[in-house]
Amino acid sequence: MTVTKKEHKTVLLLSPQRLLSDHLVLQSLHVTRSKVNIEYSNSELHLTEINTYFSMLPKQAKDVLFQFHKNSILKSIEAIQNKFNTQKAGVAYETFYQNAIKRRLHELFETFKPFAGLVSWYHTLKIGKSNYKTAPCSFSYFKPQLQFEVKQEKKLLQLNVLINLNGTVYSYANFIRYHFLLESNNEYFLLSYKDFLTLEWLQNNDPSKYSSEPTEFARQVLAKLENDYTVNRNNLLSKIEIDAIPDNRVLLSEISQKFLVVTPQWTYDGLLVEGPWKDTFETTINGDTYLVQRNREAEKAFLAVLESLHANFPAQRNGYYYLSFEEAQKKQWFLKVFHKLLEMNIQIIGMDMLQHFRYSSHKIIFESEIIKQNKNTVILRVSVSFGSEDVSLTELQKLLISEQRSILLKDGSIGVIHDEWLQQYGILFKHGKISGKEIQIARWFALYEEETPENEIVLKGTLEKSWWQKWHKWKENTETIYPLPAIIQATLRPYQLKGYEWLMLLAEAGAGACLADDMGLGKTLQTICFIAHQIQEKPDIQHLIVCPSSLIYNWQKELLKFTPGISTFVHHGAGRGEGLQKEKYQIIITSYGTLRSDIEYMSTLNFGVVVLDESHNIKNPAALTTRAVLQVHSLTRITLSGTPIMNNTFDLFSQLNFILPGMFGSREFFKREYADSIDRDHNPDKIKALKKLTSPFVLRRTKQQVAKDLPSKTEMIMWCTMSQPQKNLYDEIKTTIRDSVFLNIKNEGFNKSKLAILQGMLKLRQLCNSPLLLPVEEQSNCTESVKTGLLMNELTNNLKDHKVLVFSQFTGMLRLLAQACQEQEIAYYHFDGQTPPAKRTEMVDRFQQEEDTTRVFLISLKAGNTGLNLTAADYVFLFDPWWNTAVQQQAIDRTHRIGQTKNVFAYKMICKDTIEEKITEIQERKKKLADDLVSEDEGFVQSLTEDDIEYLFS
């Protein structure tokens, strides 16, 4: 009888698919091979098995293998369950359990990996539904590292995942992943746990959903990866160019515990640059790539200043300068240079990182007393000290503005500024004006201290105790604080009464206010109540209301309605100056343009209250209108706006500076301290700080909060499909414009082509409305307008018993619609920017009358999107999409406001497969701080990237 010779060996069996099923991912496998077949038998990794078949392994490796045994796994699970029950209540059990067991198994593989080459490996893989394959494999000790690159295919962005193995880069597609294990060609690699979590995140947050949205692709995907990984963007995403004069600063550090190092740095609009000279510097923040144009002359000048500080420095060419500690302290060199740099407004950072310069054992002490106060400001005498040494307030201010937490003392030690002190007093130094031992600060900072412990308050005492009592009652909403003036002929809703009282409280404290309620909640009425109270107390003082010209007569009408006994005068139009000089009126109403033109005269008058309606009109600090309103003299200043932030945080500066002069410092300070940090860096501490500063002075309520009884508003898109002649003309003109625009970009560059882009977009939008808006020679005998046809069909067939508002940006389109209404015998009103304000008011009044049979109102979007009360209408048509979604919303809110009793339906008319549809998509993804796009056409184009332009004209 022939005896078949058999070969036996025992290996480790890896079953990666069992990682999260029964967790028995590692066992021993006995392989018996003969000429006839191969037999396999599995065994658990119990101690006898390990000691018998893996005796060559060191003890540490054997101990780890035993942890893969079923009983060991069960003990790990039990420990995890106990931990969950005692420490993780409220967390989803399944998620916690799975994460914990994966973490535990990864730790075991990580510990065993150095010994993996000492044993043979097999793996078993599931093939199909129920079949398995067992075959030899290996477990590599190479550590895979993730990196990424951006690709573009058919104008869509893609994220490619790459695996770097021992310096060679492979596509992630070459691997099969079993959680934290990668397999390729029967070889396994262990991902770091961080890399494993990153791949899990990408799997659950598919980057391809942002493939047509470059900005969101960068912010939602790349920004999260670039903190930890190399990401090659391949120049497929646009860059924000920075061309500015740099601020100089030095970084202090140490080498070898013996040398002090001074490293020159520059900040360009807050972006840090250092190192050898290059023409440009590129960095990525929150997904946005910034390209800094470095200023060679400015940087050379700064280096010359640093080299003049010590005789050793000119010979040092390493990009930094250094001295031994002994040399740096000789003749108080470091102390003198420290103060000299501060005097030159050069920021000094890094002192809190020095480990071998002496730190002061004394805590920082702050003492102050109020020595003078007036209507707007308080002057404090202040002392800041470490032990017996008083520090310079000016130097301290410079350090705090540059976000430093330490100061050099005269004895060469470093005084540390702790967080609690900084939170309590840092705001005074950053915002105050310092002169010697005195700080001048806006007295309204008292409200910032509202929750400060009594022994630490500085300014709270500048307001009377009786005022604080009323303020707390108002916040608690317990009782009426100020009765309405007797002259008011209106019943206020509870939230409107609270708004009136809030205005009264801040005025009593000497502060201005920004009432930022949603459109339609009655900001006008609340303000009229406040002014009426001031007139009731002091009848001889005049008050001023400044608003867009379209709202002048709306204000006059509302004042006549709610306060018929108060005299008003409209300072607007020809001969306006004579009226003011002939008689003294209690309230003057004027427009922003008129105030700007007449500021020499208006600045000679003294007003009790100045109200700026639609105050975002002064969001640009450099504009003549903004400079004009700041010259008006008044006791109290109020701004009204449903959208105080139209584009970014900086929009707030002028409005806040108007109501609270000096409180927020210079425009440069506000931009650096708050706007850039919030809009570009998304700094949560700055957002919190600004909110705390502004919250007492900005009151915003939404319709959802306070007007739940307001009827519902339904917004939808009315898709319009062009006829073939109109579509053919659109495609023909689009191709011509596209070729012209991209030739312009190629020859002039993207930034210099903005006007050509805007003009091209404008023409295509006009064509979506009607070919008749184009010059006759470009109409190609096509006069069809799908939008006009659809609108006329709705007006004649479906909306005979409803009043309708129709908004368009184009006055020419309104004239075409007026002509179409005439042909259909539909009565209508029509106004645009050329319609005199008095005529507008007359039409609005008639339209609002129930018996008025004119049911269509054609309105220029820019002239009529704010201030008007048109609650007689319950249907709104936005004939063409506007750049700014907030402006569109304001137009809809002409009818969806307090006083409306009917459900409101709003339709945006969008031509399918045109630039209008693409603008709408870009609007959705380019929402900013207040969910608004920039308000001006040029601003919208400024926010576009070259990829956006490619998409719009495709």
Side-chain angles (χ1 to χ4, degrees):
M1 183 176 179
T2 303
V3 178
T4 303
K5 185 178 181 181
K6 296 183 179 181
E7 296 178 4
H8 300 274
K9 66 176 178 178
T10 302
V11 299
L12 283 180
L13 177 65
L14 179 64
S15 303
Q17 292 164 322
R18 299 176 72 174
L19 264 169
L20 290 186
S21 55
D22 57 10
H23 317 303
L24 297 181
V25 65
L26 207 59
Q27 296 174 290
S28 65
L29 176 68
H30 300 283
V31 182
T32 303
R33 185 188 301 271
S34 68
K35 291 183 179 181
V36 180
N37 63 2
I38 301 177
E39 296 177 356
Y40 301 108
S41 65
N42 301 357
S43 295
E44 291 295 323
L45 288 168
H46 50 73
L47 289 176
T48 302
E49 183 82 5
I50 294 170
N51 289 327
T52 302
Y53 297 105
F54 301 101
S55 59
M56 81 294 293
L57 292 175
K59 183 178 184 304
Q60 182 184 358
K62 293 178 184 178
D63 291 343
V64 175
L65 282 184
F66 180 64
Q67 297 303 312
F68 284 100
H69 185 270
K70 183 177 181 178
N71 289 339
S72 298
I73 294 291
L74 289 174
K75 286 183 180 179
S76 295
I77 292 173
E78 184 180 349
I80 290 168
Q81 289 172 332
N82 291 336
K83 187 176 182 182
F84 172 82
N85 291 332
T86 58
Q87 298 181 17
K88 295 289 181 179
V91 180
Y93 172 76
E94 189 63 28
T95 300
F96 169 74
Y97 166 76
Q98 294 285 11
N99 289 341
I101 197 65
K102 279 186 284 190
R103 186 72 165 175
R104 173 60 176 159
L105 290 171
H106 183 275
E107 289 173 355
L108 294 176
F109 274 108
E110 188 73 64
T111 307
F112 189 74
K113 190 172 75 168
F115 311 106
L118 300 177
V119 296
S120 298
W121 291 76
Y122 271 55
H123 63 156
T124 182
L125 299 176
K126 192 172 184 179
I127 308 297
K129 290 186 177 180
S130 57
N131 295 325
Y132 289 84
K133 179 186 79 170
T134 301
C137 69
S138 62
F139 200 102
S140 175
Y141 54 80
F142 287 144
K143 182 178 181 180
Q145 294 178 313
L146 292 185
Q147 57 190 68
F148 303 89
E149 66 173 351
V150 182
K151 292 289 188 180
Q152 190 172 45
E153 185 174 336
K154 296 181 180 178
K155 299 179 182 177
L156 297 178
L157 296 173
Q158 295 180 341
L159 181 72
N160 284 358
V161 182
L162 304 172
I163 305 293
N164 188 322
L165 283 171
N166 200 30
T168 303
V169 177
Y170 302 88
S171 171
Y172 177 60
N174 294 339
F175 298 83
I176 298 173
R177 182 168 73 91
Y178 302 95
H179 302 289
F180 46 73
L181 294 174
L182 292 180
E183 184 268 331
S184 177
N185 297 322
N186 298 321
E187 185 175 16
Y188 284 84
F189 304 90
L190 180 65
L191 289 163
S192 71
Y193 205 73
K194 183 188 76 173
D195 287 357
F196 157 63
L197 292 178
T198 299
L199 292 175
E200 290 283 287
W201 178 80
L202 285 172
Q203 182 174 299
N204 296 324
N205 299 272
D206 185 7
S208 65
K209 64 185 176 183
Y210 305 110
S211 59
S212 61
E213 307 171 19
T215 301
E216 291 305 302
F217 188 88
R219 292 179 179 174
Q220 302 299 331
V221 180
L222 302 187
K224 293 176 171 61
L225 297 175
E226 286 171 327
N227 289 331
D228 300 302
Y229 300 99
T230 299
V231 179
N232 183 0
R233 295 189 173 208
N234 286 315
N235 293 318
L236 291 174
L237 291 98
S238 62
K239 301 172 184 177
I240 301 169
E241 292 193 12
I242 303 293
D243 189 358
I245 301 298
D247 291 324
N248 301 320
R249 78 180 201 179
V250 296
L251 169 66
L252 301 177
S253 58
E254 300 171 338
I255 294 179
S256 303
Q257 303 180 15
K258 295 180 179 179
F259 293 93
L260 177 69
V261 180
V262 178
T263 302
Q265 297 179 329
W266 299 269
T267 56
Y268 289 81
D269 269 359
L271 298 177
L272 177 64
V273 175
E274 67 176 15
W277 166 258
K278 293 181 181 178
D279 289 334
T280 60
F281 168 77
E282 189 173 304
T283 187
T284 300
I285 303 172
N286 293 315
D288 294 324
T289 299
Y290 294 84
L291 186 66
V292 177
Q293 303 291 337
R294 294 177 67 173
N295 186 318
R296 185 162 200 161
E297 294 305 314
E299 292 190 18
K300 282 179 65 177
F302 180 46
L303 294 178
V305 169
L306 293 184
E307 289 179 6
S308 70
L309 298 177
H310 196 280
N312 292 358
F313 285 174
Q316 297 174 0
R317 301 293 181 184
N318 298 317
Y320 57 86
Y321 307 98
Y322 60 91
L323 289 173
S324 66
F325 289 163
E326 182 182 1
E327 188 70 20
Q329 292 173 328
K330 188 182 296 182
K331 297 182 180 179
Q332 294 189 313
W333 177 88
F334 183 54
L335 185 65
K336 293 174 183 176
V337 165
F338 174 85
H339 293 299
K340 183 177 181 179
L341 292 175
L342 286 179
E343 288 169 6
M344 298 170 68
N345 289 319
I346 295 170
Q347 296 180 16
I348 303 172
I349 65 167
M351 278 208 302
D352 48 351
M353 301 299 291
L354 299 178
Q355 297 297 314
H356 299 90
F357 265 54
R358 289 190 301 119
Y359 279 86
S360 173
S361 60
H362 298 289
K363 288 187 176 181
I364 186 170
I365 301 297
F366 176 93
E367 295 177 343
S368 70
E369 63 173 321
I370 297 172
I371 60 174
K372 185 178 180 181
Q373 58 179 306
N374 56 33
K375 179 177 180 290
N376 294 342
T377 61
V378 175
I379 296 178
L380 305 168
R381 180 175 289 117
V382 173
S383 167
V384 177
S385 60
F386 288 87
S388 61
E389 180 179 339
D390 287 347
V391 302
S392 163
L393 302 187
T394 303
E395 290 183 0
L396 182 59
Q397 181 185 52
K398 290 177 179 179
L399 290 168
L400 294 179
I401 287 175
S402 62
E403 304 295 335
Q404 295 309 295
R405 304 291 184 91
S406 55
I407 186 169
L408 186 65
L409 304 177
K410 292 177 182 177
D411 64 357
S413 66
I414 296 172
V416 177
I417 304 167
H418 54 80
D419 288 344
E420 293 79 7
W421 189 96
L422 192 64
Q423 291 170 8
Q424 183 60 38
Y425 304 113
I427 196 84
L428 299 177
F429 286 88
K430 288 186 176 184
H431 286 255
K433 294 181 180 178
I434 293 178
S435 176
K437 292 284 187 179
E438 296 178 356
I439 299 179
Q440 179 179 301
I441 192 79
R443 69 193 301 264
W444 309 299
F445 274 100
L447 287 164
Y448 181 84
E449 296 182 324
E450 184 176 359
E451 298 176 3
T452 301
E454 197 69 27
N455 63 327
E456 295 179 12
I457 60 172
V458 178
L459 298 168
K460 196 172 182 179
T462 60
L463 295 173
E464 298 291 337
K465 286 186 178 179
S466 59
W467 185 89
W468 283 109
Q469 289 170 352
K470 284 185 281 189
W471 179 252
H472 292 140
K473 284 180 182 178
W474 179 83
K475 294 181 79 172
E476 293 163 5
N477 199 22
T478 53
E479 59 186 87
T480 299
I481 303 170
Y482 297 97
L484 283 173
I487 196 173
I488 291 293
Q489 296 187 8
T491 301
L492 272 64
R493 291 177 171 233
Y495 76 87
Q496 292 173 327
L497 183 61
K498 295 296 289 181
Y500 154 72
E501 291 184 333
W502 176 74
L503 292 171
M504 290 288 298
L505 276 164
L506 288 181
E508 188 177 320
C514 174
L515 185 55
D517 286 343
D518 261 359
M519 288 289 173
L521 291 185
K523 294 189 290 293
T524 301
L525 175 57
Q526 295 171 68
T527 307
I528 288 173
C529 292
F530 171 71
I531 296 176
H533 185 280
Q534 306 305 309
I535 291 174
Q536 180 177 279
E537 295 295 311
K538 298 178 181 178
D540 296 332
I541 296 181
Q542 284 185 312
H543 308 278
L544 178 67
I545 295 169
V546 187
C547 59
S549 58
S550 61
L551 302 184
I552 286 177
Y553 293 100
N554 185 65
W555 269 97
Q556 188 180 45
K557 180 184 135 188
E558 297 288 278
L559 283 162
L560 181 62
K561 176 182 176 182
F562 297 124
T563 55
I566 290 178
S567 61
T568 63
F569 175 74
V570 172
H571 181 68
H572 187 70
R576 57 184 179 266
E578 297 176 6
L580 273 182
Q581 294 165 4
K582 285 181 181 179
E583 188 176 343
K584 187 167 183 178
Y585 297 90
Q586 290 170 306
I587 296 179
I588 299 167
I589 308 169
T590 192
S591 70
Y592 284 102
T594 301
L595 179 69
R596 184 179 63 239
S597 299
D598 296 354
I599 191 57
E600 283 192 27
Y601 171 68
M602 298 295 282
S603 63
T604 64
L605 304 178
N606 292 306
F607 297 101
V609 179
V610 172
V611 177
L612 302 187
D613 194 9
E614 305 298 342
S615 60
H616 46 261
N617 280 280
I618 67 163
K619 69 181 189 297
N620 180 359
L624 292 174
T625 299
T626 307
R627 289 154 63 182
V629 299
L630 291 173
Q631 296 178 54
V632 177
H633 301 289
S634 66
L635 296 173
T636 303
R637 294 175 170 186
I638 295 173
T639 60
L640 308 177
S641 178
T643 52
I645 297 177
M646 294 291 284
N647 179 27
N648 52 46
T649 307
F650 194 62
D651 288 347
L652 279 175
F653 173 73
S654 289
Q655 297 171 77
L656 292 171
N657 193 45
F658 174 76
I659 62 173
L660 304 163
M663 181 166 174
F664 293 91
S666 68
R667 55 199 276 192
E668 293 79 13
F669 169 79
F670 186 87
K671 183 176 185 297
R672 180 182 65 247
E673 181 72 12
Y674 298 109
D676 286 346
S677 297
I678 292 172
D679 296 326
R680 185 178 66 203
D681 304 331
H682 310 302
N683 186 318
D685 293 332
K686 296 295 184 181
I687 294 172
K688 183 179 177 181
L690 184 59
K691 184 176 181 180
K692 183 178 179 182
L693 267 180
T694 59
S695 59
F697 312 103
V698 180
L699 182 63
R700 174 165 178 78
R701 281 83 58 91
T702 65
K703 288 174 182 171
Q704 290 77 15
Q705 290 172 315
V706 299
K708 296 181 175 65
D709 55 336
L710 198 62
S712 67
K713 173 178 63 175
T714 303
E715 297 181 45
M716 61 198 80
I717 291 177
M718 178 180 283
W719 292 107
C720 310
T721 304
M722 290 179 176
S723 65
Q724 199 56 49
Q726 188 179 0
K727 188 65 167 70
N728 290 342
L729 180 59
Y730 177 88
D731 289 340
E732 179 185 333
I733 292 178
K734 180 187 72 173
T735 300
T736 303
I737 291 173
R738 174 186 169 82
D739 293 345
S740 174
V741 163
F742 281 96
L743 181 62
N744 215 79
I745 291 174
K746 181 179 179 181
N747 294 334
E748 302 290 334
F750 183 64
N751 288 328
K752 293 183 179 180
S753 302
K754 297 295 175 69
L755 182 59
I757 294 168
L758 178 61
Q759 290 171 339
M761 294 170 67
L762 187 65
K763 180 173 285 189
L764 290 181
R765 293 176 66 236
Q766 288 176 319
L767 183 50
C768 289
N769 278 2
S770 172
L772 294 175
L773 291 177
L774 302 180
V776 175
E777 62 273 14
E778 295 185 30
Q779 292 174 11
S780 189
N781 296 320
C782 176
T783 60
E784 297 180 43
S785 166
V786 60
K787 288 189 182 182
T788 302
L790 284 173
L791 179 62
M792 290 301 119
N793 180 66
E794 291 291 325
L795 295 178
T796 54
N797 297 322
N798 300 327
L799 301 175
K800 289 181 179 179
D801 299 323
H802 298 269
K803 289 198 172 185
V804 181
L805 309 181
V806 181
F807 288 93
S808 175
Q809 175 196 0
F810 305 104
T811 55
M813 191 66 236
L814 293 176
R815 289 192 290 270
L816 291 175
L817 291 175
Q819 182 181 333
C821 285
Q822 291 170 10
E823 293 171 358
Q824 298 291 332
E825 297 184 349
I826 299 172
Y828 66 89
Y829 295 120
H830 168 209
F831 81 66
D832 54 37
Q834 302 303 312
T835 308
K839 183 67 175 174
R840 301 182 195 186
T841 302
E842 179 188 337
M843 286 189 284
V844 169
D845 288 344
R846 292 210 306 266
F847 186 78
Q848 285 291 92
Q849 299 302 315
E850 189 174 342
E851 62 274 11
D852 184 69
T853 57
T854 301
R855 57 191 182 83
V856 176
F857 212 137
L858 307 175
I859 307 173
S860 164
L861 185 59
K862 203 163 189 177
N865 76 313
T866 56
L868 299 178
N869 188 342
L870 292 165
T871 53
D874 55 346
Y875 280 82
V876 180
F877 288 86
L878 300 172
F879 201 79
D880 36 71
W882 188 247
W883 313 105
N884 187 343
T885 54
V887 172
Q888 291 179 153
Q889 197 58 56
Q890 289 171 355
I892 296 169
D893 285 347
R894 296 311 93 226
T895 185
H896 192 248
R897 57 198 297 122
I898 297 301
Q900 180 59 272
T901 59
K902 304 177 288 293
N903 292 336
V904 173
F905 297 88
Y907 296 88
K908 284 198 292 186
M909 302 184 75
I910 305 290
C911 277
K912 191 69 179 162
D913 299 323
T914 68
I915 196 170
E916 288 188 327
E917 182 178 3
K918 293 170 181 176
I919 285 174
T920 304
E921 292 175 3
I922 289 178
Q923 281 177 327
E924 285 302 310
R925 69 176 187 244
K926 284 186 177 286
K927 287 184 177 180
K928 295 191 178 178
L929 188 66
D931 285 332
D932 301 334
L933 285 172
V934 286
S935 58
E936 300 300 329
D937 298 357
E938 294 84 351
F940 179 79
V941 176
Q942 189 69 30
S943 74
L944 298 178
T945 65
E946 219 167 321
D947 289 329
D948 293 330
I949 301 302
E950 178 98 20
Y951 175 64
L952 284 170
F953 290 108
S954 63

